Amino acid sequence: MSVSTTGASRADLVADTALSLLAERGMRGLTHRAVDEAAGLPQGSTSNLARTRQALLELAVRRHADREARVLALHEMPDPRGGLDALADGLALAVHRSLTHNGDLLIARYELALEATRRPELRRYYDATGARFRDLLTALVTAMGSTDPDRHVLSLVAWADGLMFSCVAGSFSARVPSLDEVRRGLRELLSGMLGR
């Protein structure tokens, strides 16, 4: 397990270690003790920071959202006035970056999402944390002239999530599509949604 500690706060270290454990061992492998051991922290350190399993999961969800925002580079999304091709290019880069360099982060997300289906308190937290991604996409497709932004965002997220799941954990895991293939798929989807 490789968890960088350079410049990281203890909370970030614990959260990053939790995410690594989720990707490596699954939800059953995530315990306070396992985080302490994997992070090289004194026993009880994780419990002092996150007293309950819920608190540890919330810490992991928050850190995951921060790391995924950097991977997706939401701040670099193109100006919608650049047109459909610019939006498809920006989204394709984000999806492809997730696929090629951040598979473990995706697997951790799937573990957290599944756990949220069993824990209503985690579901509320998970959904609220993910709202910033949906809100940005809603603003982008609205600016592009979408006549039904909520439905279009659902389709866009379902397409991207489906592609990422299939290529990281599903039946297409043997081959990651090229950036150009992802871009072409997004152009087709966006053209159909936006009537262009």
Side-chain angles (χ1 to χ4, degrees), residues 2-26:
S2 59
V3 175
S4 171
T5 59
T6 308
S9 71
R10 174 130 331 165
D12 288 348
L13 174 61
V14 166
D16 285 337
T17 303
L19 292 171
S20 292
L21 286 169
L22 284 169
E24 182 182 302
R25 303 179 190 174

Side-chain angles (χ1 to χ4, degrees), residues 71-148:
V71 170
L72 297 175
L74 298 178
H75 60 284
E76 294 176 5
M77 281 294 136
D79 186 322
R81 292 173 293 188
L84 187 139
D85 284 343
L87 180 57
D89 288 348
L91 292 172
L93 280 170
V95 169
H96 196 259
R97 237 187 331 260
S98 291
L99 286 171
T100 54
H101 302 297
N102 296 280
D104 284 353
L105 198 58
L106 286 172
I107 292 169
R109 173 157 54 101
Y110 303 142
E111 290 286 344
L112 290 165
L114 287 171
E115 188 65 11
T117 66
R118 300 174 195 104
R119 292 174 173 259
E121 65 280 7
L122 185 61
R123 169 55 57 198
R124 286 188 294 276
Y125 192 81
Y126 184 91
D127 290 348
T129 304
R132 67 175 155 171
F133 301 103
R134 289 187 309 278
D135 293 347
L136 173 69
L137 283 175
T138 300
L140 286 171
V141 299
T142 299
M144 293 291 298
S146 169
T147 57
D148 193 347

Side-chain angles (χ1 to χ4, degrees), residues 10-11 13-15 17-18 21 30-57 59:
R10 174 130 331 165
L13 174 61
V14 166
T17 303
L21 286 169
L30 178 64
T31 65
H32 288 76
R33 179 177 293 222
V35 172
D36 287 341
E37 289 172 5
L41 294 171
Q43 189 174 349
S45 298
T46 299
S47 290
N48 285 336
L49 184 67
R51 297 304 264 166
T52 64
R53 183 161 181 83
Q54 175 69 21
L56 180 58
L57 290 170
L59 188 68

